[in-house]
Amino acid sequence: MSETLLEIKNLKKYYPVKTGFLKRGYVKAVDDVSFRIGRGETLGLVGESGSGKSTLGRTVLRLIEPTGGDILYAGERINSLDMRPYRRKMQIVFQDPYASLDPRQTVSDIIGEGLDLYKLYQDHAERKEKILSLMKMTGLSEGFYNRYPHEFSGGQRQRIGLARALALDPEFIVCDEPVSALDVSIQAQVINMLEELQKARGLTYLFIAHDLAVVRHISDRIAVLYLGHLVELAATRDLFRDPAHPYTRMLLSAIPIPDPDISGKRTRMLPQGDIPSPLHPPAGCPFSSRCPLREKACEEANPPLREISPGHFSSCSRA
């Protein structure tokens, strides 16, 4: 693996909630998660809706303050540091291109906001030149310069959001389901653009998604999250070829196959019951209440994430 750019250790994010009169509990959105991302790498983060993916991504950037654990960027612990210098290095592309852009600002104002904040130009002409360069880089026409977000399609808006993220020349970008709201053909365009920008600028991505086909295409490694817990982490090829955790197998078996002959012959692994409440998670392994392979020991203790083969980690005791 290349030099580590981002590392998180035992990261936690708990939300206090009232569970009754004078009673208080916690929703453990992210619970004791650890991993690292190498410089220039793309780590895919997958899981069902509500598994804590977006919370984890925003906590890493300290858009949400962590409850516990450590966030290390280029070897420096940034939990309690002033994030202003790091905002230039760490950016995010949000999930919803219709809600993440200010409808009162023009495209030039949206993309140039970071340039204005950090005073990254000498005069108005240089500012315009930098914005037009970013627009060209992300496939936006110069004619969009003074137009407003409501005039664009979802794919174009997502390109505006990406240009805004690139304006400060970051090293690390959290892509929070950047293509989930887009048509399939537009998804391919945005993914290809992300890959080209990564090669050209040496970017590092944490790519959050629930579409495993997209994650397989863009990611070097994949982390699987369930109820705030990291249950498997492996190189993309290893994860798809030999998934070790029952939850990962369940996710992979849910991928549709367009050939009915092949689809009819494969064995699907289906979960039992519904996703438990994050306020009252199961004792032991968080997947134990739905796992068809569970044993008594699974309901008593949560197995730690362990390396079962070089670079392949799983928290299943049967892996």
Side-chain angles (χ1 to χ4, degrees), residues 126-292:
E126 185 182 356
R127 178 183 186 272
K128 184 174 182 178
E129 181 183 347
K130 287 189 173 186
I131 293 171
L132 290 175
S133 175
L134 289 162
M135 291 173 65
K136 182 179 180 180
M137 189 185 304
T138 51
L140 295 167
S141 167
E142 290 187 10
F144 296 167
Y145 187 83
N146 286 317
R147 292 169 63 180
Y148 290 87
H150 73 269
E151 301 178 65
F152 300 104
S153 66
Q156 290 171 325
R157 293 186 195 200
Q158 202 59 293
R159 289 171 185 266
I160 296 169
L162 181 57
R164 174 177 61 185
L166 293 171
L168 298 179
D169 196 20
E171 300 173 317
F172 173 69
I173 298 179
V174 173
C175 301
D176 186 7
E177 302 206 36
V179 296
S180 63
L182 308 179
D183 293 338
V184 174
S185 60
I186 306 301
Q187 286 184 9
Q189 294 176 17
V190 173
I191 292 299
N192 291 336
M193 181 177 62
L194 288 170
E195 291 183 318
E196 291 167 5
L197 288 168
Q198 183 175 40
K199 292 176 183 176
R201 301 170 71 106
L203 295 170
T204 303
Y205 294 141
L206 174 62
F207 191 90
I208 300 169
H210 59 261
D211 187 333
L212 284 163
V214 171
V215 175
R216 182 178 191 176
H217 178 76
I218 196 173
S219 303
D220 299 300
R221 292 185 300 143
I222 296 177
V224 183
L225 208 63
Y226 180 76
L227 276 185
H229 294 266
L230 187 62
V231 297
E232 190 160 0
L233 174 64
T236 301
R237 184 177 65 175
D238 294 339
L239 189 89
F240 276 81
R241 181 177 57 191
D242 189 22
H245 197 282
Y247 178 63
T248 307
R249 294 179 204 159
M250 182 199 81
L251 291 178
L252 295 180
S253 70
I255 299 175
I257 297 177
D259 189 326
D261 293 331
I262 298 176
S263 181
K265 292 176 183 177
R266 72 170 176 169
T267 301
R268 293 193 64 186
M269 184 173 183
L270 300 175
Q272 300 176 352
D274 299 321
I275 301 176
S277 167
L279 187 59
H280 303 290
C285 173
F287 192 57
S288 61
S289 63
R290 305 175 72 198
C291 182

Side-chain angles (χ1 to χ4, degrees), residues 8-14 30-35 55-57 59-60 65-71 79 228:
I8 63 171
K9 297 180 179 179
N10 309 111
L11 190 68
K12 301 179 177 70
K13 180 58 189 177
Y14 298 169
V30 177
D31 196 8
D32 203 26
V33 172
S34 301
F35 60 74
T55 301
L56 176 57
T59 304
V60 163
E65 291 296 335
T67 303
D70 292 321
I71 306 168
N79 291 52

Side-chain angles (χ1 to χ4, degrees), residues 48-113:
E48 294 170 284
S49 295
S51 60
K53 304 186 299 298
S54 294
T55 301
L56 176 57
R58 296 181 186 209
T59 304
V60 163
L61 298 179
R62 282 187 57 205
L63 299 177
I64 302 173
E65 291 296 335
T67 303
D70 292 321
I71 306 168
L72 289 89
Y73 188 84
E76 187 169 14
R77 186 177 181 272
I78 63 172
N79 291 52
S80 56
L81 297 181
D82 176 14
M83 286 298 293
R84 183 181 170 87
Y86 289 93
R87 293 288 177 233
R88 291 190 61 178
K89 302 177 182 180
M90 308 169 73
Q91 284 289 310
I92 185 170
V93 177
F94 292 100
Q95 175 180 357
D96 188 353
Y98 294 93
S100 59
L101 304 180
D102 189 337
R104 298 167 297 179
Q105 290 185 313
T106 63
V107 170
S108 61
D109 291 334
I110 292 169
I111 297 174
E113 190 168 14

